[in-house]
Structure formats: C-alpha cells, structure tokens
C-alpha cells in the first residue's frame, strides 16, 4: 500500500530532525563540568590563612 502524503511529510520531517541532530552533535563542543566553587573558596582560604582577620565561614556578603 502506498504511503499517504501526510506519512511522507512526517517521515521527511523525522529525517530532517535527525540530520540536524547529527550536525549539532558534530559541531557542538562537549559541555564542561561546572566548577567546584566550594573547593576554590577553600583553596583561597588556605592561601590567605595567615592574613585573615576573621574566620572565612563567618563572612557574609554586604546586603546593601
């Protein structure tokens, strides 16, 4: 049985979508993992340990 016009359009659309997906996978860079901010803050605290006036855990941002 021959495919209807709607079936052919749907099949062509699926093929276009797959072709776009293949292109995007080929040209898009792989996502990098998010930075570990807690570790970065801990490293910074250790680096400035002798110069700190107060404990870094007590610091809060200025709310103004």
């Amino acid at each position: 049985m021959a495919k209807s016009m709607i079936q052919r359009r749907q099949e062509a659309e699926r093929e276009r979508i797959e072709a776009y997906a293949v292109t995007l996978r080929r040209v898009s860079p792989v996502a990098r993992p998010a930075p570990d901010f807690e570790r970065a803050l801990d490293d910074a605290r250790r680096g400035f340990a002798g110069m700190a006036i107060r404990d870094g855990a007590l610091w809060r941002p200025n709310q103004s």
Side-chain angles (χ1 to χ4, degrees):
M1 182 173 180
K3 291 183 181 180
S4 71
M5 196 66 155
I6 292 173
Q7 288 173 325
R8 287 191 299 233
R9 286 181 187 156
Q10 289 173 342
E11 186 175 307
E13 182 179 5
R14 279 192 292 273
E15 289 173 2
R16 278 194 308 275
I17 290 170
E18 180 58 29
Y20 292 147
V22 167
T23 301
L24 285 175
R25 282 193 297 268
R26 187 168 29 92
V27 298
S28 297
V30 176
R32 296 183 320 175
D36 184 358
F37 290 111
E38 288 298 322
R39 191 178 83 181
L41 289 173
D42 289 341
D43 291 345
R45 280 190 205 111
R46 279 194 297 276
F48 292 103
M51 296 184 237
I53 297 171
R54 64 179 172 201
D55 184 9
L58 299 175
W59 179 85
R60 296 288 177 261
N62 188 357
Q63 297 296 323
S64 58

